[in-house]
Amino acid sequence: MKPGFSCLLVVLGLLHSAIMSVWGVTTTFPSFPTPVSFPTSNFSSSYAPDSAWSTSSSKSQCRKETLRTDVVQSFSNFTGNRDDRGVCQCSVILPDNTFPAERVERLEITAQTISKKFEKELSKVKEYVQLISKYEEKLLNLTVRVSIMEKDSISYTELDFELIKVEVKEMEKLIKQLKVGFAGSTVIIDQLEVEIRNMTILVGQLETLDKNNVLAIRRQIMALKNRLKECEEASKEENPPPPPAPETSSPEGNMGSIGTWCGHALGAPGKRRGKGKEERLAQDRRLHPNSPSPGEKHHWSCAHGGVVNVSKPAVVQLNWLGFSYKYGAWGRDYSPQNPGNGVYWVAPLNTNGKTLQYYRLYNTKDDLLLYTNARQNQITYGQGSGTVVYKNNMYVNWYNTRNMAKINLTTNRVDLSQALPDAAYNNRFSYANVGWQDMDFAVDEDGLWVIYATEASTGNIVISKLNDTTLAVLNTWHTKQYKPSVTNTFMVCGVLYATRTLNTRIEEIFYYYDTNTGQEGRLNIIMQKMQETVQSINYHPFEQKLFVYNDGYLLNYDLVFQHIPQ
């Protein structure tokens, strides 16, 4: 027998014995967490050179040298020989069929990495789908609004078109962002981009077509102003019998009634009948101490017969938080000592329609329009949309209480918190379609007011005049008007005006209560609106404007008062 073949048989036999002793009787090889690369091994014999291959001692010596490395792997294809010096040499080669545990481990790590990347990209896709759905809805709303503008005979101002342009530009930016970050099919995104581009062209065409209408209305306004001037001059020369009240509900809109504004509206709130000029002015001065004297008559004088009409809405801006913040209030600070220099403030509620947490202040209207130079403050927390600002202080209903809170706008601190006696709160008697407005603060020529309801009044409106320094109740009036049937209220010269919804495009000032005389009655003054729900109405005595928060949009209305001949 050849020495090499004998050596191979010895190695195989010894290897089988070693495996049986290390791993037990089974011949199934175990799995190793980290295989060891062992392609070739040389074993040197320590026995004497004169030893023979055929002797048992040489076999035993070859076995010893083979087992020196401890058996940790399965081996095959053993070959061995003896060199000239009698040294036994064996080559051990790792078989090709060894289990690739290391490669499997790397494969598992790679699979986990790919899985994480896939989940991340999938979440992005879901987010993009939600954004696309959201902006599809906005695009649909814009389409409806543009369709209404095409069919409606109402004249829209330049601000209306600018507002739609802003919304379209926002969607254009989003579409560009989606196209950059969205890897995959972009069919839906491309369709949206085409529709937005078409919308931009359509708005531009409408704006161009509307220019002639704007010019016509301007000519009509000039003609009506001339008629109004002639009417006022005629009233100074003679005192004719009073004409009927303005036809504010005319289907032609508010412009059709300007010619009768100089007349006396029968039963208009604030009218003092049967009194001479001196007596009327004396009573006006007594009831409205903040009004100027006859020799220094200004815009905010109460020498009129009450509100008889309102202008069409002027869209000032969308609130800075966006479309989702439909509830809130806005206005301008009023101080009798500095009436024309108050800051503009915007206080949108959180999306729950209840909590007032952030508000912004703007020094000028240009800052408000451009969203620049804003001072943003945070409070914890106001409740409802009944907020006003008076003499650099913000007045709110404090969260989950019947307390009135006075917040200093300079320091953003609550200077005073005072309970409103017997007031219902936490959405007990809020306005129709508007929740959490149990307390509605108001400002007019006379100062600070609060409109609310109590259990004793069975939900009817209660009006209280407040001391703006101490929040003490100075006087209280009880009305017969149920508060939850009213959409909103405001005060002008001590007269409460209440609104209600006629349809999605029109509000009506239908009720008044005069705290000067204790009289209450019905009115019929139409207010057009841009969106369905009016969340708050605030009056500014110097500008004689209404500041209306309409589903997130900031609107202005000019008030028209009944003229009293001097």
Side-chain angles (χ1 to χ4, degrees), residues 10-30:
V10 172
V11 171
L12 289 176
L14 294 177
L15 182 60
H16 180 267
S17 301
I19 292 173
M20 297 297 286
S21 63
V22 174
W23 293 325
V25 294
T26 178
T27 59
T28 303
F29 298 137

Tab-separated table of all heavy atoms in Angstrom, residues 10-30:
chain	number	residue	atom	x	y	z
A	10	VAL	N	-5.778	6.908	7.567
A	10	VAL	CA	-5.601	7.223	8.980
A	10	VAL	C	-6.287	8.520	9.346
A	10	VAL	O	-6.972	8.630	10.349
A	10	VAL	CB	-4.086	7.265	9.303
A	10	VAL	CG1	-3.875	7.794	10.726
A	10	VAL	CG2	-3.471	5.875	9.169
A	11	VAL	N	-6.088	9.530	8.518
A	11	VAL	CA	-6.708	10.855	8.790
A	11	VAL	C	-8.220	10.752	8.800
A	11	VAL	O	-8.894	11.310	9.662
A	11	VAL	CB	-6.211	11.889	7.755
A	11	VAL	CG1	-7.007	13.169	7.880
A	11	VAL	CG2	-4.739	12.155	7.953
A	12	LEU	N	-8.777	10.053	7.832
A	12	LEU	CA	-10.239	9.901	7.784
A	12	LEU	C	-10.747	9.199	9.018
A	12	LEU	O	-11.763	9.583	9.613
A	12	LEU	CB	-10.636	9.135	6.517
A	12	LEU	CG	-10.485	9.894	5.192
A	12	LEU	CD1	-10.815	8.963	4.010
A	12	LEU	CD2	-11.410	11.099	5.172
A	13	GLY	N	-10.060	8.156	9.416
A	13	GLY	CA	-10.503	7.429	10.602
A	13	GLY	C	-10.425	8.281	11.839
A	13	GLY	O	-11.331	8.302	12.676
A	14	LEU	N	-9.275	8.940	12.009
A	14	LEU	CA	-9.122	9.812	13.181
A	14	LEU	C	-10.132	10.958	13.164
A	14	LEU	O	-10.665	11.354	14.195
A	14	LEU	CB	-7.697	10.352	13.216
A	14	LEU	CG	-6.588	9.313	13.452
A	14	LEU	CD1	-5.217	9.975	13.383
A	14	LEU	CD2	-6.760	8.627	14.794
A	15	LEU	N	-10.392	11.543	11.980
A	15	LEU	CA	-11.349	12.644	11.886
A	15	LEU	C	-12.750	12.183	12.252
A	15	LEU	O	-13.494	12.876	12.952
A	15	LEU	CB	-11.330	13.203	10.464
A	15	LEU	CG	-12.242	14.407	10.196
A	15	LEU	CD1	-11.847	15.579	11.092
A	15	LEU	CD2	-12.161	14.830	8.728
A	16	HIS	N	-13.119	11.004	11.827
A	16	HIS	CA	-14.444	10.481	12.179
A	16	HIS	C	-14.552	10.271	13.673
A	16	HIS	O	-15.562	10.609	14.307
A	16	HIS	CB	-14.658	9.160	11.423
A	16	HIS	CG	-15.990	8.541	11.712
A	16	HIS	ND1	-16.178	7.611	12.698
A	16	HIS	CD2	-17.201	8.739	11.148
A	16	HIS	CE1	-17.436	7.252	12.732
A	16	HIS	NE2	-18.095	7.928	11.786
A	17	SER	N	-13.491	9.757	14.291
A	17	SER	CA	-13.524	9.552	15.746
A	17	SER	C	-13.626	10.882	16.483
A	17	SER	O	-14.346	11.021	17.467
A	17	SER	CB	-12.263	8.779	16.183
A	17	SER	OG	-12.193	7.530	15.541
A	18	ALA	N	-12.868	11.860	15.992
A	18	ALA	CA	-12.907	13.181	16.656
A	18	ALA	C	-14.287	13.811	16.561
A	18	ALA	O	-14.798	14.403	17.508
A	18	ALA	CB	-11.852	14.096	16.026
A	19	ILE	N	-14.888	13.705	15.404
A	19	ILE	CA	-16.248	14.291	15.231
A	19	ILE	C	-17.236	13.597	16.137
A	19	ILE	O	-18.092	14.235	16.769
A	19	ILE	CB	-16.683	14.184	13.758
A	19	ILE	CG1	-15.816	15.116	12.901
A	19	ILE	CG2	-18.149	14.521	13.580
A	19	ILE	CD1	-16.051	14.959	11.408
A	20	MET	N	-17.153	12.288	16.235
A	20	MET	CA	-18.064	11.536	17.083
A	20	MET	C	-17.897	11.913	18.540
A	20	MET	O	-18.850	11.982	19.311
A	20	MET	CB	-17.835	10.027	16.895
A	20	MET	CG	-18.138	9.536	15.486
A	20	MET	SD	-19.841	9.727	14.989
A	20	MET	CE	-20.539	8.400	15.956
A	21	SER	N	-16.639	12.206	18.947
A	21	SER	CA	-16.403	12.552	20.354
A	21	SER	C	-16.807	13.975	20.660
A	21	SER	O	-17.203	14.281	21.778
A	21	SER	CB	-14.924	12.325	20.699
A	21	SER	OG	-14.111	13.199	19.908
A	22	VAL	N	-16.685	14.864	19.684
A	22	VAL	CA	-17.017	16.288	19.932
A	22	VAL	C	-18.507	16.547	19.786
A	22	VAL	O	-19.128	17.225	20.596
A	22	VAL	CB	-16.214	17.187	18.965
A	22	VAL	CG1	-16.653	18.637	19.106
A	22	VAL	CG2	-14.731	17.070	19.272
A	23	TRP	N	-19.137	16.020	18.728
A	23	TRP	CA	-20.538	16.362	18.449
A	23	TRP	C	-21.517	15.257	18.775
A	23	TRP	O	-22.713	15.416	18.538
A	23	TRP	CB	-20.687	16.693	16.952
A	23	TRP	CG	-19.949	17.954	16.587
A	23	TRP	CD1	-19.793	19.032	17.339
A	23	TRP	CD2	-19.260	18.202	15.371
A	23	TRP	NE1	-19.063	19.970	16.706
A	23	TRP	CE2	-18.715	19.479	15.470
A	23	TRP	CE3	-19.033	17.466	14.186
A	23	TRP	CZ2	-17.974	20.055	14.456
A	23	TRP	CZ3	-18.312	18.052	13.180
A	23	TRP	CH2	-17.764	19.330	13.321
A	24	GLY	N	-21.099	14.207	19.303
A	24	GLY	CA	-22.022	13.127	19.625
A	24	GLY	C	-22.072	12.091	18.531
A	24	GLY	O	-21.290	12.091	17.588
A	25	VAL	N	-23.056	11.233	18.637
A	25	VAL	CA	-23.128	10.102	17.734
A	25	VAL	C	-23.667	10.466	16.379
A	25	VAL	O	-23.490	9.748	15.421
A	25	VAL	CB	-24.008	8.996	18.362
A	25	VAL	CG1	-23.345	8.443	19.616
A	25	VAL	CG2	-25.391	9.541	18.661
A	26	THR	N	-24.398	11.549	16.309
A	26	THR	CA	-24.995	11.913	15.025
A	26	THR	C	-23.931	12.408	14.074
A	26	THR	O	-22.933	12.991	14.488
A	26	THR	CB	-26.073	12.994	15.207
A	26	THR	OG1	-26.567	13.334	13.907
A	26	THR	CG2	-25.496	14.245	15.842
A	27	THR	N	-24.131	12.179	12.814
A	27	THR	CA	-23.192	12.622	11.785
A	27	THR	C	-23.613	13.928	11.141
A	27	THR	O	-22.978	14.400	10.219
A	27	THR	CB	-23.072	11.543	10.699
A	27	THR	OG1	-24.354	11.319	10.141
A	27	THR	CG2	-22.496	10.262	11.259
A	28	THR	N	-24.737	14.494	11.627
A	28	THR	CA	-25.192	15.784	11.082
A	28	THR	C	-24.334	16.896	11.640
A	28	THR	O	-24.179	17.025	12.850
A	28	THR	CB	-26.660	16.049	11.467
A	28	THR	OG1	-27.440	14.971	10.988
A	28	THR	CG2	-27.128	17.357	10.860
A	29	PHE	N	-23.775	17.693	10.788
A	29	PHE	CA	-22.878	18.753	11.246
A	29	PHE	C	-23.668	19.931	11.774
A	29	PHE	O	-24.649	20.338	11.172
A	29	PHE	CB	-21.993	19.208	10.091
A	29	PHE	CG	-21.114	18.102	9.563
A	29	PHE	CD1	-20.952	17.925	8.197
A	29	PHE	CD2	-20.457	17.242	10.441
A	29	PHE	CE1	-20.153	16.926	7.726
A	29	PHE	CE2	-19.655	16.249	9.945
A	29	PHE	CZ	-19.506	16.072	8.583
A	30	PRO	N	-23.203	20.510	12.895
A	30	PRO	CA	-23.915	21.676	13.453
A	30	PRO	C	-23.629	22.918	12.644
A	30	PRO	O	-22.671	22.968	11.892
A	30	PRO	CB	-23.325	21.808	14.868
A	30	PRO	CG	-21.951	21.237	14.742
A	30	PRO	CD	-22.046	20.126	13.738
